[in-house]
Each structure stands twice: as C-alpha cells, then as structure tokens.
Amino acid sequence: MKCTLTELKHKEIIETKTGTMLGKISDIEIDTDDASIVSVIVYGRPRLFGILGRDSDMIIRYSDIDLVGRDTVLISSDEKLSWREQQPRLSFIGKQPNDNESQTAFA
C-alpha cells in the first residue's frame, strides 16, 4: 500500500493489546541522509483548551510499528513509547525563538 505523508499524518495510533487509541499522528521525523522515516510523533493533549500548554508528546519509532492500515497505525505495546516534554510553540510578544530550537517540518 502506498501512502502520502499527509495521509500518514492523519492516521490514528491504536495500541493492539488494550485497544486504546493513543491519538493521531501529528508529526513525522525523517532522516534526510537516507530519506527514511525515523519516528512518528503524537502531540500531547491540550490542558484547559491549550491555555496551560499540553501534555508530553509521544514518540513512536517507525521500527516499532506493527501495521500501517488504511485508517489506523497499529503498535503492539505502549512500552515502546518514549516521551518528550513539550516546548512552547508560541512566543510572547517581543521574544525571539532561539536558533538552536528544533523546527518541525509538518507542524
């Protein structure tokens, strides 16, 4: 099955042992050296409509994905997930983003 990055980005992540929906793919990390997908990222849930930021992001290595289906992506265990603390995406007025902050291609 062929899939575009836009189609992959909107698929839901399902953990197969419990049937839990972990969220939708929000971002994709790509290794530019060999043009392969390294991981998919599910953004954390917003707290108080996003006013208080959001929870940590889930990072799922592409090698840990069991199946990419038509509408969903299946992984077998949530033990394979790694988490990263959310960095602020919006800056206050007058604050410039640091040059060393990583930028996402599909945010």
Side-chain angles (χ1 to χ4, degrees), residues 46-102:
R47 289 183 269 161
L48 192 63
F49 305 107
I51 295 172
L52 299 176
R54 63 175 197 240
D55 295 335
S56 299
D57 297 341
M58 283 185 280
I59 299 174
I60 303 165
R61 291 184 311 232
Y62 196 76
S63 60
D64 294 335
I65 293 175
D66 294 332
L67 179 68
V68 177
R70 189 175 294 265
D71 297 320
T72 60
V73 174
L74 302 178
I75 63 170
S76 60
S77 176
D78 58 356
E79 295 172 4
K80 297 178 182 179
L81 299 176
S82 59
W83 302 87
R84 73 172 177 196
E85 284 301 315
Q86 178 58 36
Q87 296 179 2
R89 292 195 178 273
L90 299 176
S91 61
F92 291 102
I93 297 173
K95 180 182 174 191
Q96 297 296 324
N98 297 335
D99 291 337
N100 60 357
E101 289 181 0
S102 63

Side-chain angles (χ1 to χ4, degrees), residues 27-44:
D27 206 350
I28 302 166
E29 277 187 275
I30 299 174
D31 183 3
T32 57
D33 293 334
D34 61 357
S36 64
I37 297 176
V38 176
S39 62
V40 296
I41 301 168
V42 177
Y43 290 155

